[in-house]
């Protein structure tokens, strides 16, 4: 190892010293590399094992690596959804003393998926819509803390399943700028324009590869992001005026934001000089309303929609066991040990990499509803879990380590090559009982 090697790390990990930094990333031995699907990228990116976990390593300039490392740290402190930084490796030289590019190391976001990994053969319209809706929420959250992205795209985003929807995470911050206050309307509009252009191009790229189902309009999908963004941004920031005897609308505004998954940390309230009207406008809005409540009650740290679904089941459990007057924390503990944990522990060990526990629980509840509808009666939960494992979960691919590098595309088999699918895909044959696309 070269004496000039400089490692800046967010946490001490001796495993960093064991990686072959004196070798160009393209020539790293297979013993260090994790074989995950990858494609074209602005930078060379590979995945490696680091102390029993998967990390993404990107070669770039030292200045850009340190800038992005600092930016990811700042975003993490602001609780913005993004990948975790691990280290910057600078001062690299090969065996002959020739300089090598610096490297940025980020942690693998477990159970996350690049957008191209969310389908095997053809992208369906509903999936595309859910992806851009998740990206719109991410963009609103980033803009709300004063972050200008500068390169908004599906490729620069990772997605995690979130109770039938998706949660989006920023994975590439090298073009971003963090401003102390909220962004100007012009900055937000520019980010939206970049997003619309990039997303339309990415969807059209899928179309050119024959991976769009009929009825998917790339421009309409991109426009949908802009519409979703404006709708959510307005709900969070718009000023509202009402008569002084309609003060209940303050509570209504708070509940409306809670339903969207946000808490109001600070609100501006002004009354007219004649005392006839009141104006309100949220000043500090924090995402994760349901996440925080579930974490407080059970210790489970999950996505927002998953938290909403789990809380609904917890509340139903509370009513079902007639504990409406009981302490909420005690009932939550009872629900955790009697309902949630038995379902999660019932999943065979070899299937636990397919979905994260909260998403499994959500899907079991969905499966119970469909089974009960089909039979016209309530189906015992034990029977539901067995049916879900055998009929649904076993047919899914493992998602714990399905990922793509920042600004990456995946190399997937074409429709004509379905008889010989790429690694990590589910084969599509005439004898398949389940259409994989219905599991996306």
């Amino acid at each position: 190892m070269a004496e000039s090697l400089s490692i800046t790390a967010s946490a001490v990990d001796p495993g960093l010293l064991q990686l072959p930094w004196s070798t160009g990333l393209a020539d790293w031995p297979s013993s260090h590399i994790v074989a995950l699907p990858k494609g074209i990228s602005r930078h060379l990116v590979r995945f490696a094992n680091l102390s029993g976990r998967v990390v993404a390593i990107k070669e770039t300039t030292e200045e850009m690596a340190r800038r992005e490392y600092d930016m990811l740290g700042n975003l993490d402190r602001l609780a913005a959804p993004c990948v975790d930084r691990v280290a910057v490796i600078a001062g690299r030289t090969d065996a002959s003393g020739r300089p090598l590019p610096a490297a940025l190391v980020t942690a693998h976001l477990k159970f996350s998926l690049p957008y191209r990994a969310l389908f095997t053969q053809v992208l369906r319209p509903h999936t595309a819509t859910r992806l851009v809706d998740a990206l719109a929420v991410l963009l609103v959250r980033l803009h709300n803390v004063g972050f200008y992205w500068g390169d908004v795209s599906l490729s620069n985003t990772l997605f995690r399943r979130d109770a039938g929807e998706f949660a989006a995470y920023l994975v590439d911050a090298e073009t971003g700028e963090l401003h102390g206050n909220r962004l100007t309307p012009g900055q937000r509009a520019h980010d939206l324009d970049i997003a619309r252009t990039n997303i339309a191009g990415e969807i059209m790229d899928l179309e050119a590869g024959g991976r769009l189902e009929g009825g998917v309009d790339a421009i309409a999908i991109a426009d949908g992001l802009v519409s979703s963004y404006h709708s959510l941004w307005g709900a969070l920031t718009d000023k509202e005026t009402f008569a002084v005897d309609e003060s209940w609308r303050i509570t209504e505004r708070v509940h409306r934001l809670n339903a969207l998954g946000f808490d109001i940390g600070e609100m501006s309230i002004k009354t007219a000089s004649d005392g006839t009207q009141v104006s309100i406008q949220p000043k500090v809005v924090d995402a994760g309303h349901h996440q925080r409540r579930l974490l407080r009650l059970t210790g489970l740290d999950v996505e927002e929609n998953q938290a909403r679904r789990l809380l609904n089941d917890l509340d139903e459990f509370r009513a079902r066991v007639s504990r409406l007057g009981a302490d909420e924390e005690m009932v939550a503990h009872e629900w955790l040990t009697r309902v949630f944990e038995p379902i999660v522990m019932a999943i065979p060990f070899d299937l636990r990499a397919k979905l994260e526990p909260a998403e499994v629980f959500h899907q079991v509840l969905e499966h119970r509803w469909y089974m009960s509808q089909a039979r016209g009666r309530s189906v015992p939960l034990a029977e539901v879990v067995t049916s879900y494992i055998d009929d649904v979960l076993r047919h899914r691919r493992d998602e714990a380590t399905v990922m793509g590098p920042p600004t990456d595309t995946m190399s997937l088999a074409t429709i004509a090559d379905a008889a010989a699918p790429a690694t990590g895909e589910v084969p599509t044959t005439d004898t398949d009982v389940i259409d994989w696309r219905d599991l996306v």
Side-chain angles (χ1 to χ4, degrees), residues 12 19 27 46 55 79 89 93 114 117 142 163-164 169 182 192-193 202 221 259 308 341 353 355 370 374 382:
V12 178
L19 294 176
D27 299 319
R46 302 193 75 179
V55 294
I89 313 297
T93 57
L142 293 173
Y169 287 76
R182 279 185 179 172
L192 277 176
D193 187 56
E202 288 165 326
I221 293 295
R308 190 196 314 265
E341 290 179 348
L355 292 171
Y370 284 115

Side-chain angles (χ1 to χ4, degrees), residues 62-131:
E62 180 177 352
E63 179 184 2
M64 293 301 294
R66 293 193 183 281
R67 184 181 185 281
E68 187 168 3
Y69 177 85
D70 291 339
M71 186 64 70
L72 289 173
N74 289 332
L75 288 174
D76 180 63
R77 284 188 285 275
L78 292 170
C82 63
V83 294
D84 292 332
R85 64 180 187 172
V86 175
V88 170
I89 313 297
R92 299 172 64 206
T93 57
D94 63 15
S96 302
R98 289 189 295 265
L100 293 172
L104 172 69
V105 185
T106 55
H108 163 44
L109 182 62
K110 200 170 183 182
F111 291 103
S112 63
L113 300 157
Y115 80 102
R116 285 177 176 264
L118 286 165
F119 56 95
T120 53
Q121 297 301 326
V122 178
L123 178 64
R124 292 184 167 178
H126 183 52
T127 303
T129 300
R130 287 185 294 159
L131 289 178

Side-chain angles (χ1 to χ4, degrees), residues 242-255:
F242 48 86
V244 71
D245 60 352
E246 294 180 308
S247 57
W248 52 269
R249 290 176 62 175
I250 298 177
T251 303
E252 183 186 61
R253 180 70 177 270
V254 173
H255 288 169

Side-chain angles (χ1 to χ4, degrees), residues 290 293 307-317 335:
H290 299 95
R293 182 188 169 208
R308 190 196 314 265
R309 187 65 190 274
L310 268 59
L311 286 169
N312 286 342
D313 193 72
L314 191 161
D315 291 338
E316 291 175 8
F317 172 82
W335 170 85

Side-chain angles (χ1 to χ4, degrees), residues 25-91:
L25 190 56
D27 299 319
W28 277 26
S30 58
S31 58
H32 290 287
I33 296 300
V34 177
L36 295 174
K38 67 184 296 291
I40 299 173
S41 172
R42 282 202 303 258
H43 304 279
L44 177 59
V45 181
R46 302 193 75 179
F47 307 107
N49 283 307
L50 175 63
S51 304
R53 57 175 170 159
V54 177
V55 294
I57 301 175
K58 175 169 69 174
E59 284 190 336
T60 182
T61 66
E62 180 177 352
E63 179 184 2
M64 293 301 294
R66 293 193 183 281
R67 184 181 185 281
E68 187 168 3
Y69 177 85
D70 291 339
M71 186 64 70
L72 289 173
N74 289 332
L75 288 174
D76 180 63
R77 284 188 285 275
L78 292 170
C82 63
V83 294
D84 292 332
R85 64 180 187 172
V86 175
V88 170
I89 313 297

